[in-house]
Amino acid sequence: MRFGTLGRAKKGARIVIAAALVMPFVITAVIGVEALMRARLDPQHTAAPTRFYARPHVFAPGMRIDRERLERRLRRLGYQPTRNRQVAIGQYYRDARGWIIGRRAFRLHDRLDPGGRTRVSVGWGGRVTAIDDARRGRIDFVTLEPELLRSYRGDAMEDRLPVALTDVPQHLVDAVLSIEDQRFFEHRGLDVKRIIGATLANLRAGRFVQGGSTLSQQLVKNLFLTSTRSPIRKLRDMAMAITLERRHTKEEILEAYLNEIYLGQDAGLAIHGVGRAAQYYFGKDVTQLEPHESALIAGIIRGPSLYSPFRNPESARRRRDLVLAVMRERGAISPERHATATAASLGLQNQPKRTRRGRYFIDFVTEQLAANHGRAAVERGLSVLTTLDLDLQQLAEEAVSTNLDRLERDHPRLVSDEGPLQAALVAIDPRTGEILAMVGGRAYGESQFNRAAHARRQPGSAFKPIVALSALSAGSGYTLATVLQDEPLSVETPAGLWQPANYDGEFRGGVSLREALERSLNVPFARLGMEVGPERIVETARRLGVESPLNPVLSLALGSSEVTPLELTRAFGVLAASGYRSDLHATLGVLDAEGDVLSRFEAGGRQVYTQAEAYIVTSALRGVVERGTGRSLRWRGVDGPVAAKSGTTNDFRDAWFIGYTPSLVVGVWVGFDDGRGMGLTGSSAALPIFASFLRGALGPFDREDFVQPSGIETVSVNRETGLRSGYGCPGEREVFLRGTAPRQSCSYWNFRGYTRFGYQRVEPNRSRNHSRRRSRRTNDR
């Protein structure tokens, strides 16, 4: 038994010894195979993230500048005010005659705007009169760098701006090689002299004080390995570095290194590459760096946190000066330039504030890009210039947040464990179809569902302008003076008995179409919808851009079919644009990873209704603001010409308010996701959000009026009869499509045989349009 046990022990020992002898060869073989398989540069390794930018601010002669809004934009971009007219890059000077801005350079891939000192002269009313550039003289326009909304590369929390080696200044290359790998162009992946020197230094110190890795080793560690130190990992990066050097030229490896190296943090995003570092630290394009700036970037490589010039400026300066000293020793910089660079300040720029606004909008744009170009394309380093106006977006988000909080304070019943009160807001330029602001919900962090673009809800009375347009368009036989009956109505339908009622439960007899729209009376509009026909209403909605399914039933006239806030706001935009339906879009242009234009929006659209037809409806919707359900806009501080309509659905599930000026259309929806009732109307819940936003959006100057087009005539009309007014038969001025104004008068003389069109007997109009007239006869004027 003892000999058997001893034999087994000897056998086991032989196996262990054999394994120990064989294992190094196995490990070496595995490491070699791994190196052969993985050590290969791929453009995706150093690809830029997809960047989404807000619309750039463009100055051009004739445009009006809102001083406060421009100053907010400059401060968001990190520009600092100065009292010196000789502004530096990243500064601005403001006086009564205009602005002097030290514009930063900015790059959209290979498209470079060099920036520079620009004078924007402003005259009466805040309008730009001239633009002068320090280098180019008088110019037609100038652009500030667009504000970055988001960098996106899947789940990678990193940011980079890839640059070609030919665009990198030689002094930056010299600075990096001087401090990181002086024999880069001599070795084949491993620097044996440096490895030996580093090993001896570490042994003497008794700890790790010096590294012996070459640029190639650093690159493979960043691309293929982890930062954990171990002998095996060291063998792996050595094998991969050697393989990488055999497969790629020194220039390819150096370019990849300069685009991959980690150089700090920007609000949670890791900064990779010298292109983004130049932009982040100095507000410059990499091509514009000075030697002292290049030395600072090279010095940061060893410890981006330890040598951060923002957190540890003295350590960063000492490290920069060390790099400059090494460069001088190697002859990479002259003594004169060394002295100048050493004496220079760090020259850091204030950083643009990272915005977290517009996240619903960015998701919306991403969905569109994925639909048009594929999901994979979205992660391939695109530059997306969007239509978002960050000033308006900020106003929109604040309006939604502030007013929802107020509603819950005033109405505690709205606070429930079943889900918070939600809202959506969309702002569009009706002339171009550009989406300027979008809020898809109360808090993006809690719910990413974009209610503005995807929530289909009943619009209620907010749909009535579409019904009105169906009736008022040419050839329909209706005008704003047409008298509609506001009396009890019961209709048998396949779904049962339909009995529409007004909000207050009362009936008013005969009312004009204008009054019915201004006061949002349901019964007259139900009758109007029956006479116009649901199919015609659907056709009108389609022409206005509504794409959601619409059920052609009688209740459609009262907004029973569901639509999204985005498409209903777009429909109102057609009225704002005088019948022109612009192509709705959220991007101005998209560049691919090589800087080539992937897509560029070309302004388009078509005239779907005449200017006169749109103006007639706009006239009535202006009455909503002056006399109807939207009149509280005025005491909420909204001045100037505004046309609008409120909407409330059954059981108060949805509250709407949509309105427009000639240059801006805004839609607001408020409600619960599960359709619970709020007990609030559109004028109570949605209008305050609309008012808060529009008041800030218009500013003190925007008072553009709606222009009356040709094809309109104005006649004084008696509201009760729908006939022309006369002596003893008072009226109010009303707008009509030319040729549709009433020819008959409600005056006494009209019925005695005299009219303005000759002596003839004219009987009172007893048609459906004029079913009631005054019993007292009065003389025509």
Side-chain angles (χ1 to χ4, degrees):
M1 178 70 69
R2 185 180 303 166
F3 291 109
T5 302
L6 184 60
R8 286 195 296 273
K10 289 181 178 179
K11 183 177 179 181
R14 287 196 296 270
I15 293 173
V16 170
I17 293 171
L21 293 173
V22 173
M23 188 59 66
F25 296 100
V26 173
I27 292 174
T28 302
V30 170
I31 290 174
V33 171
E34 179 191 38
L36 290 172
M37 294 180 64
R38 300 183 63 191
R40 189 185 307 275
L41 293 180
D42 185 329
Q44 287 303 308
H45 289 153
T46 55
T50 290
R51 285 187 174 83
F52 297 88
Y53 295 95
R55 63 188 302 115
H57 191 87
V58 180
F59 300 97
M63 70 170 288
R64 181 180 285 134
I65 292 180
D66 183 321
R67 291 197 169 202
E68 292 184 2
R69 189 173 295 177
L70 175 57
E71 192 147 16
R72 285 199 303 268
R73 184 186 295 263
L74 289 170
R75 288 181 180 274
R76 280 201 311 268
L77 286 168
Y79 284 80
Q80 291 295 303
T82 179
R83 296 181 179 179
N84 185 356
R85 296 174 64 89
Q86 299 300 317
V87 299
I89 297 299
Q91 295 181 335
Y92 69 91
Y93 172 84
R94 167 184 166 182
D95 61 20
R97 294 178 295 176
W99 303 73
I100 303 176
I101 304 173
R103 296 187 308 116
R104 299 193 191 98
F106 65 92
R107 176 188 293 266
L108 292 178
H109 290 293
D110 65 346
R111 313 296 172 89
L112 175 64
D113 184 320
R117 185 170 173 271
T118 303
R119 168 83 193 190
V120 180
S121 301
V122 178
W124 178 257
R127 292 192 181 277
V128 176
T129 57
I131 303 172
D132 296 283
D133 184 80
R135 292 192 314 272
R136 295 177 289 167
R138 183 64 54 89
I139 54 179
D140 294 330
F141 68 92
V142 71
T143 306
L144 287 178
E145 67 264 35
E147 297 173 78
L148 181 65
L149 297 173
R150 180 183 175 188
S151 295
Y152 174 79
R153 194 185 178 194
D155 297 328
M157 297 298 292
E158 59 186 42
D159 195 10
R160 60 165 52 83
L161 188 64
V163 293
L165 184 60
T166 53
D167 289 333
V168 178
Q170 185 60 44
H171 51 71
L172 178 53
V173 173
D174 292 337
V176 171
L177 296 183
S178 295
I179 202 67
E180 292 296 324
D181 193 350
Q182 295 182 5
R183 286 181 288 273
F184 173 73
F185 284 101
E186 300 169 15
H187 62 66
R188 291 291 179 263
L190 303 179
D191 188 341
V192 178
K193 292 182 181 179
R194 189 175 182 188
I195 292 173
I196 294 173
T199 301
L200 293 175
N202 293 336
L203 289 174
R204 284 194 297 269
R207 58 188 177 88
F208 184 85
V209 296
Q210 185 176 329
S213 296
T214 62
L215 257 62
S216 302
Q217 288 176 274
Q218 294 181 49
L219 180 60
V220 297
K221 182 196 75 172
N222 291 340
L223 292 180
F224 310 117
L225 305 173
T226 67
S227 58
T228 304
R229 290 194 177 103
S230 70
I232 295 296
R233 200 222 71 184
K234 195 65 180 177
L235 290 174
R236 292 169 70 196
D237 78 44
M238 292 170 69
M240 287 187 179
I242 292 171
T243 305
L244 196 69
E245 292 262 359
R246 288 177 178 174
R247 285 176 170 167
H248 299 278
T249 66
K250 288 287 187 180
E251 288 74 17
E252 290 173 336
I253 294 171
L254 181 57
E255 181 177 299
Y257 177 87
L258 293 174
N259 283 312
E260 169 57 28
I261 193 65
Y262 170 62
L263 289 165
Q265 287 276 330
D266 176 18
L269 289 179
I271 297 171
H272 285 266
V274 297
R276 182 69 183 97
Q279 194 179 68
Y280 176 71
Y281 290 113
F282 305 111
K284 291 184 175 182
D285 187 75
V286 70
T287 59
Q288 300 174 318
L289 290 176
E290 299 293 335
H292 67 280
E293 296 165 337
S294 293
L296 180 60
I297 290 176
I300 290 173
I301 294 174
R302 182 178 178 184
S305 179
L306 177 64
Y307 299 115
S308 168
F310 292 117
R311 289 196 296 267
N312 304 306
E314 291 305 318
S315 297
R317 185 174 189 126
R318 286 194 296 270
R319 181 68 177 171
R320 181 202 71 178
D321 292 348
L322 173 62
V323 175
L324 290 169
V326 176
M327 291 175 68
R328 180 182 176 184
E329 290 174 8
R330 298 184 65 231
I333 189 173
S334 68
E336 294 77 13
R337 297 192 74 182
H338 171 264
T340 302
T342 304
S345 66
L346 292 179
L348 302 175
Q349 289 288 313
N350 288 315
Q351 295 307 305
K353 296 179 181 179
R354 281 274 182 177
T355 182
R356 295 178 63 81
R357 300 195 182 279
R359 289 183 285 176
Y360 288 107
F361 175 80
I362 295 302
D363 287 351
F364 177 75
V365 174
T366 302
E367 292 168 6
Q368 289 191 323
L369 290 175
N372 294 333
H373 306 291
R375 173 62 61 176
V378 180
E379 301 183 11
R380 291 178 183 166
L382 304 180
S383 288
V384 185
L385 200 59
T386 74
T387 59
L388 191 77
D389 185 311
L390 261 183
D391 288 315
L392 296 184
Q393 182 66 29
Q394 180 176 342
L395 286 171
E397 294 182 14
E398 290 174 353
V400 167
S401 175
T402 301
N403 284 281
L404 288 183
D405 289 344
R406 180 192 56 78
L407 281 173
E408 290 179 339
R409 285 196 307 271
D410 295 346
H411 307 280
R413 69 178 184 278
L414 297 176
V415 181
S416 169
D417 294 335
E418 299 178 54
L421 188 64
Q422 293 288 353
L425 185 152
V426 180
I428 300 172
D429 185 333
R431 302 162 299 187
T432 64
E434 296 174 356
I435 300 174
L436 303 177
M438 176 182 283
V439 180
R442 184 170 192 163
Y444 182 87
E446 298 175 4
S447 170
Q448 290 78 52
F449 177 61
N450 189 343
R451 295 157 188 82
H454 302 308
R456 287 179 173 166
R457 308 291 294 236
Q458 290 184 339
S461 293
F463 198 77
K464 286 175 181 173
I466 297 177
V467 181
L469 182 60
S470 300
L472 294 169
S473 54
S476 64
Y478 292 86
T479 71
L480 289 176
T482 295
V483 176
L484 305 173
Q485 291 306 309
D486 184 15
E487 296 174 350
L489 175 66
S490 298
V491 181
E492 286 289 347
T493 71
L497 186 65
W498 184 51
Q499 294 180 302
N502 295 323
Y503 170 72
D504 58 7
E506 297 187 3
F507 299 93
R508 294 161 181 80
V511 296
S512 68
L513 197 159
R514 172 184 283 276
E515 183 181 356
L517 186 57
E518 289 179 355
R519 301 178 65 178
S520 199
L521 301 177
N522 289 336
V523 176
F525 260 85
R527 294 182 185 275
L528 182 64
M530 291 171 59
E531 296 178 4
V532 170
E535 291 77 12
R536 183 183 175 97
I537 296 172
V538 171
E539 178 190 352
T540 299
R542 295 286 181 248
R543 291 171 69 180
L544 295 177
V546 176
E547 298 176 353
S548 292
L550 299 175
N551 194 9
V553 296
L554 296 181
S555 59
L556 176 64
L558 303 183
S560 62
S561 286
E562 296 177 338
V563 296
T564 68
L566 179 60
E567 60 188 346
L568 191 57
T569 304
R570 182 194 187 189
F572 275 64
V574 177
L575 299 174
S578 301
Y580 183 79
R581 190 186 70 201
S582 301
D583 293 337
L584 189 69
H585 60 287
T587 60
L588 298 172
V590 181
L591 301 179
D592 64 17
E594 285 70 44
D596 297 323
V597 176
L598 186 63
S599 65
R600 177 189 290 115
F601 180 78
E602 301 292 343
R606 66 188 185 95
Q607 195 76 32
V608 293
Y609 283 95
T610 68
Q611 294 182 12
E613 290 168 337
Y615 183 82
I616 293 291
V617 180
T618 294
S619 172
L621 295 182
R622 292 184 69 176
V624 171
V625 175
E626 301 303 333
R627 298 173 293 276
T629 56
R631 60 187 178 277
S632 66
L633 277 180
R634 294 310 188 196
W635 62 259
R636 291 182 182 275
V638 177
D639 300 322
V642 180
K645 185 69 187 75
S646 60
T648 310
T649 59
N650 290 341
D651 301 322
F652 303 97
R653 293 191 182 97
D654 304 278
W656 296 76
F657 200 85
I658 305 179
Y660 55 90
T661 70
S663 60
L664 185 66
V665 55
V666 183
V668 177
W669 166 86
V670 179
F672 289 106
D673 286 339
D674 60 5
R676 279 176 286 145
M678 295 177 290
L680 298 172
T681 65
S683 296
S684 301
L687 183 149
I689 297 176
F690 177 93
S692 296
F693 174 78
L694 195 65
R695 190 171 58 245
L698 295 182
F701 297 113
D702 196 340
R703 295 294 180 268
E704 183 181 358
D705 202 352
F706 297 96
V707 178
Q708 180 173 310
S710 59
I712 294 291
E713 59 179 324
T714 304
V715 173
S716 181
V717 173
N718 178 264
R719 297 294 180 193
E720 295 186 11
T721 64
L723 301 177
R724 285 178 181 255
S725 62
Y727 183 76
C729 179
E732 299 175 6
R733 296 182 68 79
E734 185 59 273
V735 291
F736 297 87
L737 297 179
R738 183 171 294 156
T740 64
R743 296 169 59 87
Q744 300 170 353
S745 170
C746 60
S747 71
Y748 171 79
W749 288 107
N750 182 48
F751 302 111
R752 293 292 300 272
Y754 172 81
T755 74
R756 298 182 182 181
F757 309 103
Y759 288 89
Q760 61 180 13
R761 177 70 176 173
V762 181
E763 296 296 334
N765 188 319
R766 302 182 185 277
S767 69
R768 64 184 181 188
N769 298 341
H770 311 293
S771 59
R772 193 177 71 163
R773 61 183 177 87
R774 295 174 64 91
S775 59
R776 182 184 63 178
R777 296 183 177 179
T778 57
N779 293 327
D780 192 3
R781 237 179 272 192

